Amino acid sequence: MLQFAKQYLEELLAPLGSVETSREISPEIRQVDVWFVPTPSPSTAPENLGLLGRMAATACLLEPFRNAPSPSEVLDCQSKLNSVRSEMRRKARREGTSFREADWPNLWILSPSCSTRLLDGFGARLNESGNWGEGVYFLQEFQKSALIAINQLPVTEDTLWLRVLGKRGTQRRAIDELVALPQQNPFRQTILEILANWRITVNESENLSEQDRELLMNLSPAYLKWQEETLQQGRLEGIQEGRLEGIQEGIQEGRLEGQRQMAENFLRVRFGELDQALSGAIAPMLQLPPPELTRLLFNLSREELLVWFGDVPWREDILSEGRREIVENFLRVRFGSLDEELSSAIAPMLQLPPQELTSLLITLSREQLLERFG
């Protein structure tokens, strides 16, 4: 979650100024999650980010939490703020410039919720002017700190980009709102891709917790919309390129290009890179319908993907070691289940040479496999 939140905030704030994640501070080496300094001429209007844009009007530290922070964690965040402020003061002294109270950075602690005990313990209060609204609790003036209770923020477009970092229903509603934004929104497409990649990463985790499963459910609408629009963009590009074979082929080519882009993104996120072997396996994968392709990308290991779709010399060795188990897993993932009828067709399939078996398993439909081997 923390790594996602850093990437997410960096992407949103980059048009407004300088963003540095995991910034180390001394004397004791610690890291500020997100350090932001606004630019005098941002490439997009801060108003586009609503409440987050107002928070980013001055230099600030942003410390996101997946679960509500403890009092000691809030104190740790304030200690980071004091260290950064001291660094800025020393730098100003070295350069012979002033460092006024107005130049002090702010600390924004982003929490899915804040208990009454936590707020009272730090004397955190809503802004009396009403300019910041519900859910934004400021500590005393010279502490330059605020606790953001994300679940208390008003459900408006002004708070949308912060509510995406919430939990449970708060996050789910925010993602639904994000998906519904017009496509011309300057942040929508990039954030959809970040959310989709985050879902892929979480899905790859072993021993998913209840929180992880909830997160997968919350992220699913963003992932599905990103996938749909990626494929749609591929179709449009295919048409715009005006292929000589005609519009129909352009549509088909666009669809394949969109699917290829989706597969490349999946593989890059899952395995950290897209090497030559994996890249060469993508074209055979695209023979499959998108739902089957998606299941395979999610569930097969790198080795399994290369066995079925790659050009590898060790395919026969792998299939010989545990042919039935490998074939069962492939069919189970490709078709969503392995029923008795399909399972009974495996024995005659295993009589085929590995190269022929591989070709048939990735090209024939379930009905065709049963017709031939059932």
Side-chain angles (χ1 to χ4, degrees):
M1 160 62 188
L2 181 56
Q3 193 57 43
F4 160 75
K6 291 178 183 179
Q7 181 189 6
Y8 174 83
L9 291 169
E10 181 180 16
E11 190 66 42
L12 288 173
L13 294 173
L16 306 184
S18 169
V19 188
E20 185 178 348
T21 61
S22 302
R23 174 181 172 170
E24 292 188 349
I25 53 175
S26 59
E28 176 188 349
I29 298 300
R30 289 170 297 168
Q31 287 189 340
V32 170
D33 289 337
V34 178
W35 167 245
F36 174 76
V37 179
T39 182
S41 303
S43 60
T44 189
E47 293 78 15
N48 289 331
L49 291 178
L51 177 58
L52 179 58
R54 296 203 299 280
M55 291 163 53
T58 61
C60 60
L61 291 73
L62 295 106
E63 296 283 323
F65 285 85
R66 179 59 181 164
N67 297 304
S70 65
S72 63
E73 287 173 321
V74 173
L75 290 172
D76 287 343
C77 291
Q78 290 190 301
S79 178
K80 294 181 189 180
L81 174 64
N82 290 330
S83 295
V84 170
R85 188 161 48 204
S86 296
E87 281 186 8
M88 295 174 71
R89 185 170 57 244
R90 288 193 295 271
K91 182 174 183 290
R93 190 181 300 124
R94 287 194 306 270
E95 296 175 352
T97 57
S98 64
F99 184 61
R100 303 162 302 164
E101 181 185 316
D103 299 325
W104 293 2
N106 291 319
L107 167 66
W108 303 98
I109 299 174
L110 311 179
S111 173
S113 61
C114 291
S115 66
T116 301
R117 176 176 178 270
L118 186 72
L119 296 173
D120 290 345
F122 284 99
R125 298 288 181 266
L126 296 173
N127 183 265
E128 293 181 358
S129 68
N131 293 334
W132 291 89
E134 294 294 322
V136 183
Y137 294 90
F138 290 90
L139 278 62
Q140 297 301 313
E141 179 182 359
F142 295 136
Q143 291 182 283
K144 303 290 281 187
S145 303
L147 287 159
I148 313 297
I150 294 176
N151 67 326
Q152 297 181 28
L153 296 175
V155 181
T156 64
E157 189 171 336
D158 187 64
T159 65
L160 171 60
W161 304 106
L162 287 170
R163 287 184 288 114
V164 169
L165 294 175
K167 289 178 67 175
R168 303 188 180 89
T170 298
Q171 184 183 59
R172 186 165 57 250
R173 284 190 295 272
I175 290 176
D176 287 342
E177 292 171 40
L178 190 153
V179 168
L181 286 175
Q183 291 198 14
Q184 60 268 30
N185 183 282
F187 299 102
R188 178 184 178 277
Q189 187 58 37
T190 302
I191 298 305
L192 273 183
E193 183 172 347
I194 291 176
L195 293 173
N197 288 341
W198 188 22
R199 186 190 187 281
I200 296 169
T201 301
V202 173
N203 191 67
E204 284 302 304
S205 304
E206 296 182 2
N207 303 318
L208 291 178
S209 65
E210 191 61 37
Q211 274 194 7
D212 291 333
R213 281 189 280 272
E214 175 195 307
L215 185 57
L216 283 175
M217 180 182 68
N218 286 352
L219 293 173
S220 291
Y223 163 72
L224 292 172
K225 177 57 72 173
W226 168 77
Q227 182 189 45
E228 174 191 330
E229 291 182 0
T230 297
L231 295 176
Q232 179 65 26
Q233 182 61 32
R235 287 195 289 271
L236 291 174
E237 289 172 358
I239 294 172
Q240 290 165 358
E241 286 174 11
R243 305 194 182 277
L244 295 176
E245 292 79 359
I247 292 297
Q248 184 59 44
E249 185 171 338
I251 294 173
Q252 179 62 27
E253 181 68 22
R255 182 181 297 114
L256 290 175
E257 185 57 36
Q259 289 176 343
R260 182 177 185 88
Q261 184 180 346
M262 181 199 72
E264 287 178 350
N265 286 336
F266 266 66
L267 295 172
R268 191 174 288 112
V269 171
R270 274 199 67 185
F271 303 116
E273 62 175 349
L274 185 62
D275 57 24
Q276 187 174 353
L278 274 177
S279 183
I282 293 177
M285 294 181 196
L286 300 184
Q287 300 176 61
L288 299 172
E292 294 181 12
L293 173 60
T294 302
R295 283 196 295 269
L296 293 171
L297 290 172
F298 265 127
N299 295 287
L300 293 189
S301 67
R302 181 181 185 278
E303 183 181 71
E304 287 175 306
L305 288 171
L306 291 178
V307 164
W308 297 112
F309 302 102
D311 182 15
V312 291
W314 39 265
R315 174 185 289 113
E316 187 168 348
D317 294 336
I318 295 295
L319 289 176
S320 298
E321 290 172 4
R323 297 181 72 185
R324 183 174 184 93
E325 181 181 346
I326 293 175
V327 171
E328 283 180 347
N329 188 51
F330 180 83
L331 293 173
R332 183 180 296 110
V333 173
R334 182 184 168 190
F335 299 119
S337 64
L338 182 63
D339 56 26
E340 185 176 348
E341 190 176 19
L342 195 56
S343 181
S344 65
I346 293 177
M349 292 182 196
L350 297 179
Q351 305 303 314
L352 299 173
Q355 193 69 33
E356 186 178 353
L357 172 63
T358 303
S359 176
L360 292 177
L361 284 178
I362 67 176
T363 57
L364 297 187
S365 66
R366 182 181 184 280
E367 291 70 24
Q368 290 170 324
L369 287 171
L370 289 177
E371 182 179 349
R372 177 159 181 174
F373 300 103

